[in-house]
Amino acid sequence: MKSAAINRLESLLQASKLDRTLARTDEPWPVVSTGVPKLDTALGGGWRVGEISELTGARSSGRTTLLMATLAAATARGEIVALVDALDRFDPGVAAAAGVDLDRVLWVRGATLTVERARPAMVEQSVLRAVRAFDLIIRAGGFGVVALDLAGVSARVVQLLPFTTWMRLAHANEGRQTVGVIVGDIAVGRSARGVSVHLRASTQWIGSSPQSRRFNGFNWVSDVLLRRS
Amino acid sequence: MFCCVVRDPSSPVVPGALEAVARACSPRVERQGDAGIAFDATGLARVIGPPPEIVREVGRVAAEQGLIVRVAIAGSITTAWLLAHARLGVTIVAAGGEAAALAPLPLGWLGALVDQAEGHRPKAEDLAGGRQAGSGVQGARRITRARNYRIAPGPAADSEVVPDALNLVPVSSSLRPSAFGLCPDLQDALAIFARWGLRTLGDLAGLRRADLHARLGPLGVRLHQAASGEDTAPLVPLEEPRRFVNRLDLEWPIEGLEPLSFVLARQCDVLSSALTRADRGAVGVTTRLRLVTRTEHVRTLQLPSPIRDPRTLRTLVLLDLESHPPPAAIDVVELELGVVPGLIVQGALLTRALPSPDDLATLTSRLCALMGDTRVGAPALVDSHDERRSTVEKFTGQGAMQQTEAKKLQASTPKPQASSHTPQSPRPDFVPCLRRYRIPLAVMVDVERGRPVSVRSTARGIPSGDIVNVAGPWRTSGDWWAAGGQPWDRDEWDIELVSGGCYRLVRDRATGRWEIEGEMD
């Protein structure tokens, strides 16, 4: 039995729209599948709806493969999705092969530049625009999954963004039926609720002879870094 | 007083020209098919002049439109319509003289009224075509002398082809008797009239209407009315196509988009109200800005779906102008909307709500303003052997909605059970994805026994090191058959470096150049 003081405090928090900090065990949080059953199990069902989650890892850790699986699952459910591609590295052919319905994808392409050789200011500008585009799409609503692909952007550039950026994005997505996913090398939005999944993967090669050798994908190991609710 | 204008069969077909001719003279216009139009000439004497002046004005406007027309003015639409078809050139009938003017016409011209009785009047081509399609001596008669005829006052009935009383040619071939139940009856009635010895409309008008009703019923009455030059239905004016334009002359020139947004908001509010009243939605917006440099800055936006919301309209126009700003201060702002009938959308109760077309249009416009026009849309594959090629198409969400419905329909359709003998090809759970570098990274590669063993680069940040795993090569080539194409011929390798990271390594066979095209992720 809650005391009157607790009830009053909760009502004040609800009035200020801060009631999400309250622990609620009676209502299961809505989730959508990541497209990877193993990860769904680890996350308790999948990505949390109405939150901004993170998918991080090093190069060739399978981040893009996992993102494509999420987009494919969303489009298979009949949802429309958006991908903000900060460095213009999305390949539609690969996505189609991964099962993504391209007609349901809003692709926002960042500047085409070689991040390894581009001037830092250009990369910063491209990242800033991508974050703004991500914000616009989140606020527009109606999308099942909105992804911001910052993979390949150096941590220094991402950390130049104001720390409140991620809080604002999380606040914008609050209460919406949209899953926000940020893909990057490092976790940047940990303070903004949601889930951070760090991927570590080893590569699978099949075939013993040089002629039959093939790259066959990744063996994933995922770490759920933060889960705040 | 009514005026009928009929396009001569020898005249070229100019869409909308006849209506323009009629509207140049009178606001009360009734369309009579594609080749004829009638307008109310009452009161035009004070504006244009007496009937000869009206006819001259019609001829002048028709000549401007490149038309050859026949014109008749009479006190009833029926009289004017019959005379415009029966006589070449111009026919003017004084008030009260309708029956006398129609009296000499053969009874076969009543066929021209068949459609009128059903609410449509026949085309001049139908009449001419009907004659051509006829058989025998009458079928061979053609209005060949009407060719190259331009409007000129004067009687021409004597030079006109005259159908017989029994030869109701338009009825038989052009006016689709099966479509109008009246036509066979009219044919029968004309045969009866012939047996009675009637040859002209005057003969028919001379009979008593009550006697005709007793013998032929309502059809007899209607034919008698027509022969007497009486109308059975009033002129129904055609509504003029409405333009949704709002123009604002500014007292002071404005610079920048922020002050312009207030002007646009005011204009969009007015236009939106007009759209709501007319039950229309805007599918296109043309913004004309007259600048202080006396030039005009024109932008046209095509909207993906009918939009009526003033805020959305203003936002779309503003975003477009942000991307393409006017080069100087603005004197006059004019918005013109292209409209279609309003769209009623029924949402589904049990399926996820997709963004409305308005919201999608606004969002894509904002994104285009932020990222560039060509950087936002739905990805699409190109029909090519070159897997690097792709394109961006317009993202409307409409296709997604339709596909959702199609998929639901497909899901509801029972699928045939797969045979146990059907071979099932194993498919990997997850296709490893390539992050494609649009600008490939040039590297140096050491090769041993035809296979890359290490990657080197002098630049920082470029992947380099010994190769621990390699697969390939996959040789691709294409476009060598196209004269203007960009042929390629290369070997592709999948490699894994000892420092970590899997990449797509490519060697151009023509130049021997090595590049990293993307990373597996």
Side-chain angles (χ1 to χ4, degrees):
Chain A
M1 186 70 182
K2 293 178 183 175
S3 68
I6 290 176
N7 284 331
R8 185 165 179 277
L9 184 59
E10 286 187 358
S11 64
L12 284 174
L13 287 170
Q14 284 169 358
S16 305
K17 296 184 178 178
L18 296 172
D19 54 324
R20 288 170 62 88
T21 56
L22 300 174
R24 288 179 179 173
T25 55
D26 51 340
E27 295 178 13
W29 195 277
V31 293
V32 296
S33 170
T34 63
V36 181
K38 190 176 165 186
L39 187 59
D40 285 347
T41 307
L43 292 175
W47 301 117
R48 299 179 61 139
V49 175
E51 291 192 340
I52 307 285
S53 300
E54 282 186 305
L55 184 58
T56 63
R59 275 182 175 179
S60 300
S61 58
R63 299 162 297 181
T64 309
T65 304
L66 179 53
L67 177 63
M68 290 305 129
T70 299
L71 296 183
T75 55
R77 289 192 298 269
E79 299 172 355
I80 57 172
V81 299
L83 173 63
V84 183
D85 188 12
L87 298 180
D88 192 17
R89 291 188 170 175
F90 172 68
D91 187 347
V94 170
V100 180
D101 185 351
L102 296 182
D103 289 335
R104 302 183 186 190
V105 179
L106 175 62
W107 182 22
V108 182
R109 307 174 68 175
T112 302
L113 46 85
T114 306
V115 68
E116 291 82 2
R117 292 176 180 168
R119 286 182 299 160
M122 292 180 65
V123 181
E124 289 167 17
Q125 185 71 17
S126 185
V127 169
L128 191 61
R129 283 185 178 175
V131 172
R132 283 184 186 163
F134 184 68
D135 185 38
L136 282 174
I137 299 170
I138 288 280
R139 289 179 191 279
F143 288 82
V145 177
V146 182
L148 171 62
D149 188 355
L150 296 177
V153 178
S154 69
R156 186 193 65 79
V157 173
V158 177
Q159 285 165 352
L160 283 176
L161 292 168
F163 190 67
T164 54
T165 301
W166 315 111
M167 288 294 289
R168 281 194 289 105
L169 289 174
H171 187 66
N173 198 30
E174 208 171 278
R176 296 184 187 276
Q177 297 295 309
T178 301
V179 170
V181 180
I182 300 174
V183 181
D185 292 351
I186 60 162
V188 291
R190 291 177 59 187
S191 61
R193 294 188 289 271
V195 178
S196 292
V197 176
H198 184 74
L199 285 179
R200 290 176 286 121
S202 58
T203 54
Q204 278 183 15
W205 293 83
I206 58 171
S208 53
S209 66
Q211 287 77 21
S212 63
R213 197 102 171 119
R214 298 284 184 278
F215 174 62
N216 198 43
F218 303 98
N219 292 319
W220 277 316
V221 178
S222 59
D223 298 325
V224 178
L225 288 184
L226 180 73
R227 185 171 176 178
R228 187 183 293 179
S229 58
Chain B
M1 188 75 74
F2 297 95
C3 178
C4 280
V5 184
V6 175
R7 180 167 54 79
D8 195 90
S10 62
S11 174
V13 178
V14 183
L18 266 182
E19 189 177 335
V21 171
R23 288 201 182 279
C25 302
S26 172
R28 287 170 50 79
V29 172
E30 185 183 14
R31 175 177 288 279
Q32 313 285 349
D34 294 335
I37 200 159
F39 65 85
D40 191 353
T42 310
L44 289 185
R46 287 179 296 174
V47 182
I48 299 176
E53 290 297 323
I54 297 172
V55 168
R56 196 168 294 123
E57 178 68 10
V58 169
R60 188 184 64 77
V61 180
E64 285 177 0
Q65 299 283 342
L67 290 177
I68 304 170
V69 293
R70 306 173 180 189
V71 186
I73 292 183
S76 68
I77 306 173
T78 302
T79 308
W81 182 253
L82 283 172
L83 292 174
H85 279 89
R87 295 185 179 177
L88 297 173
V90 172
T91 309
I92 299 174
V93 178
E98 289 83 11
L102 291 177
L105 294 184
L107 280 174
W109 282 110
L110 285 175
L113 292 170
V114 171
D115 271 355
Q116 186 189 10
E118 295 297 320
H120 304 281
R121 294 182 176 93
K123 303 174 184 178
E125 293 94 334
D126 294 337
L127 297 171
R131 292 184 192 104
Q132 290 167 13
S135 60
V137 178
Q138 283 77 26
R141 292 175 182 170
R142 299 181 182 185
I143 311 179
T144 52
R145 280 168 285 182
R147 295 190 184 281
N148 302 319
Y149 181 86
R150 286 203 173 269
I151 186 169
D158 53 348
S159 61
E160 181 61 274
V161 175
V162 179
D164 293 343
L166 281 174
N167 182 28
L168 193 63
V169 186
V171 175
S172 62
S173 60
S174 315
L175 297 181
R176 295 177 295 148
S178 60
F180 305 100
L182 188 60
C183 296
D185 295 344
L186 182 58
Q187 193 81 42
D188 295 343
L190 289 179
I192 293 170
F193 292 156
R195 285 200 298 273
W196 291 351
L198 305 180
R199 294 291 171 187
T200 63
L201 295 181
D203 296 343
L204 179 60
L207 301 178
R208 289 186 60 215
R209 192 169 292 177
D211 293 342
L212 278 174
H213 183 266
R215 287 163 175 80
L216 298 176
L219 174 64
V221 176
R222 291 170 75 176
L223 292 176
H224 190 270
Q225 286 174 324
S228 306
E230 296 174 17
D231 285 339
T232 54
L235 183 137
V236 181
L238 185 69
E239 191 179 352
E240 194 170 4
R242 188 175 170 185
R243 290 181 71 205
F244 292 84
V245 183
N246 192 287
R247 177 188 167 100
L248 202 60
D249 293 344
L250 304 171
E251 293 183 11
W252 299 96
I254 57 174
E255 290 188 46
L257 295 181
E258 190 176 346
L260 181 63
S261 69
F262 295 101
V263 176
L264 289 175
R266 185 174 152 191
Q267 292 183 293
C268 288
D269 282 340
V270 174
L271 287 172
S272 175
S273 303
L275 287 175
T276 307
R277 282 196 300 272
D279 189 24
R280 294 288 183 273
V283 289
V285 186
T286 302
T287 311
R288 293 189 188 87
L289 304 176
R290 205 181 72 194
L291 309 178
V292 292
T293 55
R294 296 190 182 275
T295 58
E296 207 172 50
H297 184 74
V298 182
R299 294 289 307 160
T300 301
L301 269 177
Q302 296 300 326
L303 307 178
S305 67
I307 289 175
R308 188 183 291 178
D309 179 38
R311 290 181 60 189
T312 307
L313 285 173
R314 186 197 64 169
T315 305
L316 292 175
V317 172
L318 268 180
L319 289 170
D320 182 57
L321 289 175
E322 267 182 26
S323 306
H324 306 87
I330 302 162
D331 261 343
V332 178
V333 184
E334 182 181 296
L335 289 184
E336 181 172 5
L337 305 181
V339 299
V340 294
L343 180 69
I344 299 172
V345 179
Q346 175 70 52
L349 186 63
L350 301 176
T351 58
R352 182 191 177 91
L354 296 172
S356 70
D358 295 18
D359 294 340
L360 272 184
T362 309
L363 174 65
T364 50
S365 297
R366 285 183 190 277
L367 291 172
C368 286
L370 178 66
M371 310 296 283
D373 287 340
T374 60
R375 313 298 290 179
V376 179
L381 303 178
V382 178
D383 185 13
S384 167
H385 295 282
D386 190 353
E387 63 178 13
R388 294 167 293 177
R389 293 178 61 186
S390 62
T391 185
V392 177
E393 292 180 347
K394 194 168 187 176
F395 183 81
T396 60
Q398 296 291 333
M401 293 178 200
Q402 290 165 1
Q403 285 180 12
T404 305
E405 296 300 320
K407 186 159 278 189
K408 277 163 47 185
L409 186 65
Q410 194 177 2
S412 63
T413 308
K415 295 178 182 174
Q417 294 293 325
S419 167
S420 58
H421 301 291
T422 305
Q424 299 290 327
S425 60
R427 186 181 173 185
D429 290 338
F430 304 105
V431 179
C433 291
L434 177 75
R435 295 178 62 79
R436 189 175 293 282
Y437 300 158
R438 306 274 179 233
I439 306 171
L441 306 174
V443 292
M444 293 170 284
V445 175
D446 297 323
V447 179
E448 286 182 7
R449 288 190 289 184
R451 302 176 73 81
V453 293
S454 69
V455 176
R456 291 179 289 113
S457 174
T458 54
R460 285 179 57 192
I462 305 294
S464 59
D466 290 339
I467 297 173
V468 292
N469 276 306
V470 60
W474 287 275
R475 181 163 296 174
T476 66
S477 65
D479 269 358
W480 43 265
W481 54 82
Q486 296 179 334
W488 80 92
D489 183 10
R490 59 193 204 146
D491 288 341
E492 297 177 357
W493 304 79
D494 289 340
I495 61 168
E496 182 178 8
L497 299 179
V498 69
S499 56
C502 293
Y503 300 93
R504 170 75 52 82
L505 187 64
V506 173
R507 176 177 172 270
D508 190 317
R509 283 168 44 81
T511 61
R513 179 186 170 95
W514 289 88
E515 289 175 335
I516 292 180
E517 196 174 68
E519 67 183 71
M520 300 292 183
D521 186 33

